Amino acid sequence: MGYIMWRMSDTSTEPRRIVIVGGIGGGMSCAARARRLDEHAQIIVLERGDHASVATCGLPYHVSGEIRDPAALEVQTPETLHASLRLDVRVGHEAIALDPAARVLTVRSTTGTEAIAYDALVLSPGALPVRPPLPGIDSPRVRTLRTIEDAERIRADVTAGARRAVVLGGGFIGLEVAEALRARGLEVTLVELADHVLPTLEPELAARVTREMTRLGIVVRAGTAATSIAHRPDIDAVILADGTALPADVVVVSVGVRPDTAVFEAAGVACERGAIVVDAHGRTSVPGIWAVGDAVLTIDAVTGIAAPVPLAGPANRAGRLVADDILRPALARPLPAALGTTVVRMGSLTVARTGADHARLTARGIEHHTIHLHPNDHAGYFPGASAIHLVVHFRVGDGLLLGAQAVGAAGVDKRIDVLATAIRAGMGVADLIDLDLAYSPPYGQAKDAVNLGGMLGEDVLTGSVTLWYPGDLEHVVASSLMIDVRSPAEFATGHVAGARNIPHTELRDRIEEIATAAAGRPVRLMCASGFRSHLAHRVLAQHGFDSATLSGGLITLVDAHGPDGGRLLVTDRLSRAAA
Ligand code: FAD
C-alpha cells in the first residue's frame, strides 16, 4: 500500500514513536503488542478519561454489586503498564485536533495543550452512548453507562434511595443494566422500540428472555417508543408513545452507541456515518494512521453489511493485528470479518448468538433454512439437565452455516462458541455431525446439541425432513390435515385448534384413516419439541404423503405466538405444557 509511509523492522533499534488514542479495549491491546514486537519504540497512549485499561464490560456487574470494588475494574494502571511494558500512558489527555500532513496531534490535559508528533498513529477512540433528542433528556436523573464514573453515579442513585428505574433500550447492555438494578431491589421497567428485547435475537427466543425478565420482576415494554422525560423535583416520568407515564428516580439510556470520531473525521480521516473506514489491516484513508474497535466500520462475515461492531473481543484482537501491521507487516494477518458473537446473562438464562439472524438474511436475499431444536445441555438421565433452545441458519443448496442463536439455563455459551468456530471455518451444517466434542453425562450427550443440529440440518438439506414453521400456522390450519402426535394426555393439556391427535406410536396402524382424513391435503405434523413429529414425518413421507413437521414443535410455536398461544391455540395451558 503506497500510503504507508513508515515501517519498522523487527531488528531496528532507532526509536520511533507510536501514538495511540484510546487507552482501553483496542488501544491498550495494540500498545501491549507493539511493545512485545519492538522494545525500542516510544509508545504513547492518550486516554481522555481518568483510567486506562478499564474492564468496561464489567460495569453492569459493579452496578449490581457483584463486583464490589471499582478498583477491580481497573485492570492495569499507568504505573503498572510502565513497569511491565514501558508504556507512556497519559490519562486525562484528550486528542482534540490532528494534522495528518505534519503527523502531529494536538492534545489537551489539565496542564494545557501540547503538540505530539507521531510516526504511526492508532485510533481506538471507541463510541459514545447515543442520547436520543427527547424532550427532557437533559434531566439530572438521566444516566448512561460507559465509564467507571457512570457506574458510580448509578450506584450513588441507588444508595440515595432510588426505588424506580426506567431503562431505555433492550440491547445487551440495557438488559444487563435492568438485571443489575433489579438485583439491587429497584422496580425496573425496560422500554424497547423494537417488537422484542435483543432485537437481533430471533423473536421466538426473545420471548423466553422476556418471560425470564418478567419472572425476575422487570416490566418489559417492547414495541413502544419513549417520547419524552418529564422532570420534576421529586421524581421524573418517562412518557411513552401511548401516553403511559413511567415514574423514575433514575433513567438509564442505553439505545446504542455512535463512533467517537469527530476530531479525526474533521482532519480528513475517511468515515461513513461517523465510523472510520479501514482496509483489511485496519489502515485508514490517511497514511500512517490505523483505526480499530467500536469506531470503525467492519464488514459482516455473513451478510457483507458494513457497520460498526461494538464488541470487546473484536476490538482487542484488532488492536493486536494492527500492531503487527505497523511493526512487521510482512507477517501481519488481516482483520477478520465480523460474526458479532455475543453472550448475555439474564437471571437464570444465558442468551447467545453468532452470525446472521433470519431477518438480516432475508433482507439480504440470502436463501436459507432455519432449524429449531431443544436438546438437553447434558444427558437427560443425569440430574439437572435442561433444554438448550437452539436455532441454526444455513444456506439453501450447500448448507453453509450462516448463524446460530441459543437460550437456556446451561451450556449455551459452549454451543454458540462451537458454532461460531464452525462458521469462521466455513463449515456446512452437515459438518457439525462430525465434530468430536467432549462428552460425559454431567457435561453433554453422546450426540451433543451441536451434533444434533448437524443431523437435523443434513436431513433438511437432503430432503429427508421437510419443515413447517410457526409463521405458517394460519395457512396450515386453513389448508392441511394437522396431526398432533403427542400422547392423549399431552394433547388434553392444549393443542392447535383443528389438530387431530394420533400418537406417533399408532401412526403405522392408522395410515388408512390418515389418508381418508387428509383427502389429498398436505399433512402437517407437530409434537412438543419436534422429535416425535420427525419420526412420524418419516413414516408418512415413505407412505407417499405430502408431509412436513413443525420446526421446534409446540415449544417453538408457543414461543413464537406468545404465552396465550394466539387465537389458533385451543388453550393457554399449552404454553405451560410445552415450556
Ligand atoms: P473503548 O474501550 O471504549 O476505548 C476508547 C477510549 O478512547 C475511551 O476510554 C475514551 O475515553 C478514549 N477516547 C476517545 N476519544 C478520545 C480522544 N479524542 N482522546 C483521548 N482519548 C479518547 N463487549 C463485549 O464484547 N462483551 C461485553 O460483555 C460487553 N459489555 C459491555 C458493557 C458495557 C456497559 C459497555 C459500555 C460496553 C460493553 N461491551 C462489551 C463493549 C466493549 O466495551 C467495547 O466494544 C470495547 O471497549 C471497544 O473498545 P475500543 O477500544 O473501541 O473503545
Side-chain angles (χ1 to χ4, degrees):
M1 301 291 291
Y3 60 70
I4 304 302
M5 307 288 285
W6 167 75
R7 298 282 196 211
M8 186 180 293
S9 76
D10 277 340
T11 54
S12 170
T13 52
E14 183 189 350
R16 296 288 184 125
R17 184 181 281 175
I18 302 172
V19 176
I20 297 170
V21 176
I24 305 196
M28 202 49 83
S29 168
C30 181
R33 175 68 167 177
R35 172 58 72 228
R36 292 195 295 275
L37 294 180
D38 188 337
E39 186 59 18
H40 306 291
Q42 185 185 6
I43 303 171
I44 301 174
V45 180
L46 303 169
E47 170 50 53
R48 180 176 57 201
D50 293 336
H51 314 275
S53 205
V54 171
T56 311
C57 309
L59 296 175
Y61 306 100
H62 184 43
V63 173
S64 71
E66 289 164 276
I67 300 171
R68 286 190 172 277
D69 182 0
L73 296 169
E74 201 176 353
V75 183
Q76 297 274 0
T77 65
E79 293 72 32
T80 60
L81 288 162
H82 184 262
S84 66
L85 293 164
R86 283 294 183 275
L87 299 179
D88 178 356
V89 179
R90 305 181 186 177
V91 294
H93 282 63
E94 179 175 14
I96 56 169
L98 165 65
D99 180 346
R103 297 194 174 215
V104 169
L105 269 179
T106 306
V107 178
R108 183 171 57 203
S109 68
T110 49
T111 57
T113 300
E114 64 184 309
I116 298 182
Y118 61 84
D119 295 303
L121 175 64
V122 179
L123 305 177
S124 189
L128 293 170
V130 170
R131 285 175 78 91
L134 299 177
I137 192 76
D138 293 326
S139 159
R141 291 199 179 85
V142 172
R143 307 272 177 258
T144 53
L145 182 59
R146 183 85 201 178
T147 64
I148 291 184
E149 292 74 19
D150 293 338
E152 292 295 355
R153 269 190 285 274
I154 298 172
R155 281 172 63 90
D157 292 332
V158 176
T159 311
R163 287 195 304 113
R164 281 166 287 195
V166 174
V167 177
L168 299 184
F172 77 88
I173 297 174
L175 258 63
E176 288 175 346
V177 171
E179 188 203 46
L181 291 173
R182 184 70 193 126
R184 297 291 300 271
L186 276 71
E187 293 170 26
V188 180
T189 301
L190 181 134
V191 180
E192 167 55 50
L193 184 62
D195 286 346
H196 58 81
V197 298
L198 297 171
T200 57
L201 199 68
E202 306 301 342
E204 59 271 28
L205 296 182
R208 292 195 162 261
V209 181
T210 300
R211 287 208 293 276
E212 177 66 0
M213 293 174 76
T214 306
R215 187 188 72 79
L216 294 172
I218 300 168
V219 177
V220 177
R221 297 290 310 260
T224 313
T227 54
S228 65
I229 297 165
H231 175 58
R232 290 200 312 258
D234 53 338
I235 193 164
D236 283 9
V238 174
I239 313 299
L240 304 185
D242 65 2
T244 308
L246 302 171
D249 299 303
V250 54
V251 180
V252 183
V253 177
S254 182
V255 297
V257 293
R258 64 179 166 79
D260 190 2
T261 53
V263 166
F264 313 108
E265 189 170 14
V269 177
C271 292
E272 269 181 37
R273 286 165 282 126
I276 300 172
V277 178
V278 292
D279 72 4
H281 289 278
R283 304 162 191 159
T284 71
S285 62
V286 177
I289 303 181
W290 286 254
V292 297
D294 289 4
V296 307
L297 271 189
T298 306
I299 306 298
D300 184 272
V302 176
T303 63
I305 294 170
V309 175
L311 290 170
N316 277 268
R317 295 190 296 271
R320 183 181 193 275
L321 290 174
V322 157
D324 285 2
D325 194 53
I326 294 169
L327 290 162
R328 50 171 210 184
L331 295 175
R333 289 180 307 110
L335 277 64
L339 288 177
T341 309
T342 45
V343 62
V344 62
R345 183 189 73 188
M346 175 49 70
S348 64
L349 291 182
T350 303
V351 186
R353 48 151 296 166
T354 185
D357 58 336
H358 174 66
R360 266 174 209 228
L361 291 169
T362 306
R364 296 294 281 188
I366 300 172
E367 278 196 283
H368 60 283
H369 296 289
T370 298
I371 53 173
H372 300 84
L373 55 166
H374 313 277
N376 281 332
D377 70 303
H378 66 250
Y381 59 81
F382 189 88
S386 62
I388 297 172
H389 305 282
L390 178 63
V391 176
V392 181
H393 306 293
F394 50 95
R395 197 158 63 187
V396 167
D398 62 3
L400 182 74
L401 285 165
L402 302 170
Q405 309 194 348
V407 174
V412 165
D413 49 344
K414 166 174 157 176
R415 273 54 184 219
I416 290 300
D417 279 347
V418 170
L419 286 158
T421 309
I423 296 174
R424 178 66 85 217
M427 289 169 61
V429 71
D431 295 323
L432 300 177
I433 301 171
D434 303 328
L435 294 182
D436 199 355
L437 302 173
Y439 162 64
S440 80
Y443 296 103
Q445 304 190 78
K447 285 178 185 157
D448 186 82
V450 173
N451 301 135
L452 290 170
M455 291 167 195
L456 179 56
E458 185 193 50
D459 281 345
V460 170
L461 267 186
T462 55
S464 66
V465 166
T466 305
L467 296 171
W468 67 278
Y469 293 94
D472 306 331
L473 182 61
E474 206 151 337
H475 175 70
V476 164
V477 168
S479 63
S480 313
L481 171 66
M482 292 180 292
I483 302 179
D484 186 326
V485 299
R486 294 174 301 158
S487 70
E490 290 171 281
F491 187 76
T493 64
H495 51 266
V496 175
R500 282 180 177 234
N501 182 215
I502 303 180
H504 77 290
T505 48
E506 297 176 16
L507 212 66
R508 289 182 181 84
D509 300 326
R510 297 172 67 176
I511 292 289
E512 290 304 320
E513 176 191 335
I514 293 169
T516 306
R521 292 178 296 162
V523 180
R524 295 294 175 255
L525 299 159
M526 64 193 86
C527 69
S529 70
F531 176 65
R532 285 170 288 177
S533 58
H534 176 165
L535 302 180
H537 166 75
R538 290 302 304 147
V539 173
L540 293 187
Q542 291 178 71
H543 278 84
F545 287 90
D546 169 359
S547 158
T549 167
L550 174 60
S551 186
L554 291 161
I555 296 174
T556 297
L557 188 89
V558 168
D559 286 344
H561 286 279
D564 64 355
R567 65 184 174 83
L568 294 165
L569 301 184
V570 161
T571 167
D572 65 1
R573 282 189 299 146
L574 181 60
S575 61
R576 291 196 292 278

